[in-house]
């Protein structure tokens, strides 16, 4: 029974718990045993909290015995290290905050607990959440469960690796640069980047920063799981405004999915980007999904005049993402950056140049960029009047080998034998992030080397149930999560 439950979904575990076939204490003990047995080589769980998990499981069993039934009652889960959890360290992998312990839970941790979840511990992240990998001086490197010489992704890499290894049925992560979607793609699991503003993020803050109910540009918190239906289950727990601000007056009611049957969906499929090539393994995954859509009767197109310009979208995303960083630079570095920007050629429109220029943006320049973003949002609204979802890559390649070079600007990503700037692979991440659209990452097969390959399903703003339903239908059509060998 131990192995039979190892990779069961949250939905299946909830059914077994309601039927009295298993207790939360048993599930929690089994999950802890798996972590203690297997995590030495993966290093996904950086802050275990097993004593409190066992106590929470015991309380969950008592609550069920009293007749209570909450969405996640008794189900073991994990939480990304960057979320505040009272009495556990929140470091973001930064050595100077090694001993920082926040006073209270993040709002999403509170929602997990209110829904009855049993928190097993925290999952690993990169230094300051600033990488597409998950390694730091405090907790070390998280390895990909499919190939320990490769990254599990970042910055929610520990959560994706934990799910792939059966360390809990669900996890929560964050996404500003595909930090939910890329680890899911690299590890063969599911993730959902919600519409910007759909899920409150208070308490997902850098160490020592006050946990204020402020809205963050581009950044979201979201669910990770081993099935599409479990993503929906967890999103329903996470969704909703902060009770200190908009939650005073508003409740969230997401509209239903636009369609229930695959043959009713209208889908735009993209596998090429003007700024970076798509590797053959990822292209094959996109095409596999496209073929499944066609076979299921969906209307599939490869081009649309309504698609916002991909080059401008990538540039806007880069500018909005990077322009928030100068506040953390000392004034000497700021002056050095200005000198470097002054040395750029006027005709240099590369993403590296966009990153550098964005670091010294004025407020007026940021406002101009934001206005252009609003035009892109309007363009997406027009596109989603004719399509229900967009299928496209998450990154150009499957998981790549660990690369700990300290300067991200000097790293390179190998795409079918040709090297490209490391950060340019984020162009697909920004396609959904820049306008704030929901995007669901799903498994889409394996590379010739046996590595997981995923794609993302981008949907209309605040219609998160539409890409989630499409993910569920595709899971039925092409299969979903498979455990690492």
């Amino acid at each position: 029974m131990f192995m039979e439950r190892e990779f069961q979904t949250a939905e299946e575990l909830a059914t077994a718990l309601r039927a009295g076939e298993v207790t939360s204490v048993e599930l929690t003990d089994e999950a802890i045993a798996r972590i203690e047995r297997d995590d030495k080589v993966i290093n996904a769980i950086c802050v275990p909290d097993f004593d409190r998990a066992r106590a929470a499981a015991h309380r969950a069993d008592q609550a069920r015995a009293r007749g209570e039934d909450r969405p996640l009652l008794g189900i073991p889960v994990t939480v990304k290290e960057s979320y505040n959890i009272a009495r556990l360290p929140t470091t973001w992998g930064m050595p100077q905050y090694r001993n920082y312990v926040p006073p209270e839970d993040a709002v999403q941790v509170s929602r997990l607990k209110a829904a009855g979840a049993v928190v097993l511990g925290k999952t690993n992240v990169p230094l300051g959440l600033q990488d597409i990998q998950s390694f730091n001086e405090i907790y070390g490197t998280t390895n990909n469960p499919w190939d320990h010489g490769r990254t599990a992704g970042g910055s929610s890499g520990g959560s994706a690796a934990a799910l792939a290894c059966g360390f809990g049925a669900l996890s929560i992560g964050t996404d500003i640069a595909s930090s939910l979607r890329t680890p899911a793609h690299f590890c063969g699991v599911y993730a959902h980047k919600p519409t910007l503003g759909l899920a409150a993020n208070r308490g997902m803050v850098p160490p020592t920063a006050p946990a204020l109910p402020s809205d963050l540009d581009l950044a979201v918190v979201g669910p990770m799981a081993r099935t599409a239906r479990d993503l929906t289950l967890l999103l329903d727990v996470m969704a909703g405004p902060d009770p200190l601000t908009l939650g005073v007056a508003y409740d969230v009611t997401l509209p239903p999915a636009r369609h229930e049957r695959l043959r009713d969906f209208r889908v735009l499929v993209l596998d090429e980007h003007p700024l970076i090539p798509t590797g053959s393994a990822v292209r094959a995954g996109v095409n596999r999904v496209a073929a499944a859509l066609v076979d299921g009767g969906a209307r599939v197109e490869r081009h649309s005049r309504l698609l916002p310009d991909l080059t401008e979208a990538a540039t806007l995303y880069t500018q909005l993402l990077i322009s928030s960083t100068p506040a953390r630079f000392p004034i000497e570095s700021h002056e050095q950056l200005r000198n470097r920007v002054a040395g750029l050629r006027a005709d240099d429109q590369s993403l590296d140049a966009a990153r550098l220029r964005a670091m010294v943006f004025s407020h007026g320049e940021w406002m101009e960029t934001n206005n252009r973003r609003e035009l892109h949002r309007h363009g997406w609204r027009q596109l989603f009047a004719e399509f229900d979802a967009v299928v496209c890559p998450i990154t150009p390649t499957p998981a790549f080998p660990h690369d700990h070079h300290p300067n991200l600007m000097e790293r390179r990503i190998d795409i079918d034998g040709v090297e490209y700037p490391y950060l340019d692979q984020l162009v697909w991440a920004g396609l959904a992030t820049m306008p704030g659209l929901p995007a669901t990452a799903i498994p889409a097969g394996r590379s010739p080397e046996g590595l997981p390959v995923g794609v993302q399903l981008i949907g209309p703003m605040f219609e998160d149930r539409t890409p989630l339903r499409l993910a569920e239908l595709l899971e039925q059509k092409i299969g979903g999560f498979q455990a690492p060998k």
Side-chain angles (χ1 to χ4, degrees):
M1 197 62 169
F2 180 92
M3 290 300 295
E4 289 178 12
R5 284 197 289 258
E6 188 167 3
F7 294 105
Q8 282 192 317
T9 69
E11 190 176 42
E12 290 168 342
L13 293 178
T15 299
L17 285 163
R18 291 187 184 105
E21 297 170 0
V22 68
T23 67
S24 179
V25 167
E26 289 173 327
L27 292 179
T28 301
D29 283 341
E30 290 172 6
I32 291 170
R34 285 193 293 276
I35 294 168
E36 291 176 336
R37 181 190 69 197
D38 297 337
D39 199 37
K40 293 180 180 64
V41 294
I42 301 299
N43 193 33
I45 311 298
C46 61
V47 184
D49 196 23
F50 296 158
D51 288 343
R52 287 201 295 179
R54 288 187 170 104
H58 182 67
R59 291 194 298 272
D61 288 334
Q62 290 179 320
R64 194 170 294 281
R66 294 193 299 269
E68 293 185 29
D69 187 15
R70 287 171 266 161
L72 305 179
L73 187 59
I75 295 174
V77 306
T78 59
V79 171
K80 186 175 181 177
E81 200 271 359
S82 53
Y83 287 88
N84 285 346
I85 298 182
R87 293 167 51 195
L88 292 183
T90 296
T91 71
W92 286 38
M94 296 186 280
Q96 66 268 38
Y97 301 117
R98 185 186 301 266
N99 298 316
Y100 174 69
V101 177
E104 62 183 11
D105 291 342
V107 65
Q108 292 299 341
V109 174
S110 297
R111 287 177 179 176
L112 280 178
K113 292 180 177 180
V118 174
V119 177
L120 297 166
K122 289 184 157 195
T123 59
N124 202 20
V125 297
L127 176 67
L129 312 189
Q130 299 293 305
D131 204 346
I132 310 167
Q133 306 172 73
S134 293
F135 67 92
N136 60 76
E137 183 180 317
I138 302 174
Y139 300 122
T141 300
T142 297
N143 296 318
N144 191 299
W146 291 86
D147 181 342
H148 300 167
R150 295 176 183 265
T151 181
S155 61
S156 307
S159 287
L163 286 167
C165 292
F167 304 161
L170 302 167
S171 194
I172 58 173
T174 66
D175 194 312
I176 191 172
S178 201
S179 288
L180 283 159
R181 292 164 285 164
T182 295
H185 158 46
F186 285 176
C187 293
V189 298
Y190 289 78
H192 181 72
K193 185 198 90 64
T195 298
L196 182 66
L198 177 60
N201 55 35
R202 176 163 46 92
M204 213 303 295
V205 290
T208 76
L212 301 175
S214 57
D215 292 325
L216 302 176
D217 191 28
L218 301 176
V220 301
V221 297
M224 306 183 79
R226 288 190 291 269
T227 69
R229 287 175 64 88
D230 275 2
L231 285 181
T232 302
L233 173 68
L234 185 49
L235 181 66
D236 285 345
V237 170
M238 300 181 72
D242 194 299
L244 300 182
T245 54
L246 295 177
V248 173
Y250 301 119
D251 292 322
V252 164
T253 303
L254 289 174
R258 289 186 174 187
H259 310 291
E260 287 297 316
R261 302 176 302 180
L262 202 56
R263 64 176 178 267
D264 295 327
F265 275 85
R266 304 162 298 167
V267 183
L268 177 63
V269 175
L270 308 175
D271 64 358
E272 295 181 352
H273 197 284
L275 297 181
I276 196 168
T278 302
S280 56
V282 170
R283 188 187 300 274
V286 173
N287 288 334
R288 183 175 184 230
V289 170
L293 289 166
V294 170
D295 186 65
R299 191 193 105 196
V300 175
E301 303 288 344
R302 290 283 187 161
H303 304 280
S304 172
R305 58 179 177 78
L306 297 174
L307 180 69
D309 183 82
L310 296 183
T311 297
E312 184 180 39
T315 302
L316 292 175
Y317 170 65
T318 297
Q319 292 169 330
L320 291 166
L321 178 68
I322 299 298
S323 60
S324 64
T325 62
R328 300 193 292 272
F329 281 69
I331 189 63
E332 294 82 6
S333 296
H334 198 64
E335 292 304 315
Q336 291 171 1
L337 286 169
R338 287 192 177 279
N339 290 334
R340 289 175 62 192
V341 170
L344 291 172
R345 297 192 324 273
D347 64 349
D348 187 349
Q349 298 301 308
S350 67
L351 290 179
D352 272 349
R355 280 184 276 271
L356 196 56
R357 292 187 180 108
M359 287 184 185
V360 294
F361 258 17
S362 67
H363 180 63
E365 288 170 322
W366 188 92
M367 289 295 295
E368 180 183 351
T369 301
N370 187 53
N371 289 339
R372 287 162 62 203
R373 167 168 52 184
E374 289 302 330
L375 291 173
H376 272 253
R377 282 180 171 150
H378 182 62
W380 280 105
R381 283 191 286 271
Q382 292 177 309
L383 182 138
F384 283 123
E386 291 197 9
F387 293 94
D388 303 306
V390 172
V391 174
C392 63
I394 296 169
T395 71
T397 70
F400 50 84
H402 297 297
D403 182 352
H404 294 181
H405 191 291
N407 188 341
L408 275 66
M409 300 284 281
E410 295 180 1
R411 294 185 195 164
R412 293 293 180 266
I413 182 73
D414 183 304
I415 304 176
D416 290 346
V418 180
E419 291 189 346
Y420 295 85
Y422 180 79
L423 291 175
D424 284 9
Q425 64 185 300
L426 295 179
V427 296
W428 288 114
L431 194 61
T433 298
M434 184 270 290
L437 301 172
T440 306
I442 68 169
R446 297 283 176 265
S447 74
E449 297 79 23
L451 297 170
V453 171
V455 303
Q456 60 181 330
L457 317 176
I458 301 175
M461 185 171 283
F462 289 109
E463 294 189 51
D464 292 59
R465 295 196 190 282
T466 292
L468 285 166
R469 176 58 180 164
L470 182 57
E472 183 182 343
L473 293 169
L474 285 167
E475 182 179 15
Q476 296 167 5
K477 187 79 174 170
I478 64 173
F481 169 78
Q482 295 177 10
K485 305 301 182 192

